Amino acid sequence: MIVQNDYLDLHKTAESGQCFRMRETAPGCFTLIAGSRLLHLRTLAPGKTEFLCPDEEFWQVWHRYFDLDTNYAFMEARVPASDTYLSAAVSFGRGIRILRQDPWEMFVTFILSQRRSIPAIKKSVETLCTRYGEQMHAADGETYYAFPTAEALSGICEQEFRDCAVGYRAPYLCEAASLAASGRLDLAAMAKASPAEWPDEAIVMTLECASGVGPKVANCVLLFGFHRIDAFPKDVWINRVIDTEYNGHFPVERYHGFAGVIQQYLFYYARNGQKK
DNA sequence: GGCCAGGGCAAAG
DNA sequence: CTTTGCCATGGC
């Protein structure tokens, strides 16, 4: 299946720090593991993306995963020309999409993320997957590993997590696995619910009951795991931009309903904008 | 080798 | 309610 869409750029999406299991294996060639699903993709030309899977799988799984029903041009149009920094950020990041990732995966990943760089996060996610995820024997002969389930992680003790080099986050992982495996934290139920049943604030509060989960991590899970794209996680990069470019206050209200997409543009531009 | 990373927490002001 | 020190480890 080939998709023509100027608002789908695999490279930028992979580099935007939301999906830690999407890798560029060769220029323009990508491998993605979502839960226990494997997908190969290619960028054929700017705005031209090939999904290497049966059409049926594309329509049933990946069309939704890549959020291809959402109109990102509409959001871009809401940015006033007077905001030169954001205009530049949007232009630079055009093609980033907010993927519809698995809530449990995002919960664990962003617990691991605190006070670490993106390459370091990727590494420990892969460590967890290779040690505790199910093996997948792909058609290309390679062995891939699914993201470990809550059940798989709930039997691991704190010391064993420490051996995965997750440092002081080891007890956080234990608690997260226990909460999810026991059903005391039902991420799947929250994911199925409408915003009326589970408002953003309620999900954040519930997630924050887990130790190691504060406003930043909870909002990342909300944005990337529950696709509540109004969520606006504030990390060191975003805070720095708000501080230096917006005098300490960014007008999030203006982007009500899709602030999380704007946040991604700002984040990506701040990290990658003036490199190379 | 020092600095910083998609923070959170508890103690203290 | 707002600061401050600490937490392990890796990448650059």
Side-chain angles (χ1 to χ4, degrees), chain A residues 21 29 53 88 123 129 138 167-168 183 190 193 219 250 255-256 269:
Chain A
R21 305 203 71 198
C29 298
C53 66
K123 188 182 175 186
C129 291
Y168 64 89
M190 285 194 284
N219 275 283
F250 181 78
Y255 308 105
H256 181 69
Y269 189 53

Side-chain angles (χ1 to χ4, degrees), chain A residues 100-166:
Chain A
R100 292 182 185 264
Q101 299 185 78
D102 179 71
W104 163 247
E105 247 184 274
M106 294 298 94
F107 192 52
V108 172
T109 298
F110 282 96
I111 284 173
L112 286 174
S113 77
Q114 64 167 269
R115 208 59 195 172
R116 302 175 85 183
S117 66
I118 288 176
I121 300 164
K122 277 185 185 169
K123 188 182 175 186
S124 50
V125 167
E126 284 316 302
T127 300
L128 285 186
C129 291
T130 53
R131 292 195 186 184
Y132 308 115
E134 219 172 292
Q135 276 194 17
M136 297 186 286
H137 300 288
D140 60 10
E142 299 270 336
T143 300
Y144 298 90
Y145 294 87
F147 196 91
T149 63
E151 290 69 28
L153 292 190
S154 64
I156 311 300
C157 68
E158 186 178 324
Q159 185 55 48
E160 202 172 330
F161 280 132
R162 282 188 185 273
D163 294 339
C164 299
V166 299

Side-chain angles (χ1 to χ4, degrees), chain A residues 82-241:
Chain A
S82 58
D83 191 339
T84 54
Y85 185 85
L86 183 53
S87 297
V90 167
S91 172
F92 183 78
R94 186 177 303 131
I96 295 175
R97 305 191 77 82
I98 307 292
L99 304 176
R100 292 182 185 264
Q101 299 185 78
D102 179 71
W104 163 247
E105 247 184 274
M106 294 298 94
F107 192 52
V108 172
T109 298
F110 282 96
I111 284 173
L112 286 174
S113 77
Q114 64 167 269
R115 208 59 195 172
R116 302 175 85 183
S117 66
I118 288 176
I121 300 164
K122 277 185 185 169
K123 188 182 175 186
S124 50
V125 167
E126 284 316 302
T127 300
L128 285 186
C129 291
T130 53
R131 292 195 186 184
Y132 308 115
E134 219 172 292
Q135 276 194 17
M136 297 186 286
H137 300 288
D140 60 10
E142 299 270 336
T143 300
Y144 298 90
Y145 294 87
F147 196 91
T149 63
E151 290 69 28
L153 292 190
S154 64
I156 311 300
C157 68
E158 186 178 324
Q159 185 55 48
E160 202 172 330
F161 280 132
R162 282 188 185 273
D163 294 339
C164 299
V166 299
Y168 64 89
R169 305 162 192 84
Y172 301 160
L173 285 184
C174 289
E175 189 183 325
S178 167
L179 282 171
S182 68
R184 283 152 57 214
L185 178 64
D186 195 344
L187 296 168
M190 285 194 284
K192 257 186 267 174
S194 69
E197 297 170 304
W198 275 96
D200 289 5
E201 306 75 34
I203 294 182
V204 166
M205 278 186 60
T206 303
L207 295 176
E208 283 180 355
C209 290
S211 53
V213 179
K216 194 287 180 170
V217 169
N219 275 283
C220 280
V221 178
L222 192 62
L223 178 57
F224 304 125
F226 292 94
H227 202 75
R228 300 294 182 93
I229 61 171
D230 199 33
F232 194 90
K234 289 181 181 171
D235 59 59
V236 289
W237 294 92
I238 292 294
N239 285 331
R240 192 177 300 150
V241 166

Side-chain angles (χ1 to χ4, degrees), chain A residues 10-11 13-15 19-33 38-41 122 126 140 142-144:
Chain A
L10 297 178
H11 177 78
T13 301
E15 292 302 305
C19 179
F20 297 86
R21 305 203 71 198
M22 183 172 170
R23 294 189 303 126
E24 190 162 10
T25 55
C29 298
F30 296 83
T31 299
L32 165 68
I33 306 170
L38 172 68
L39 176 69
H40 297 292
L41 310 100
K122 277 185 185 169
E126 284 316 302
D140 60 10
E142 299 270 336
T143 300
Y144 298 90

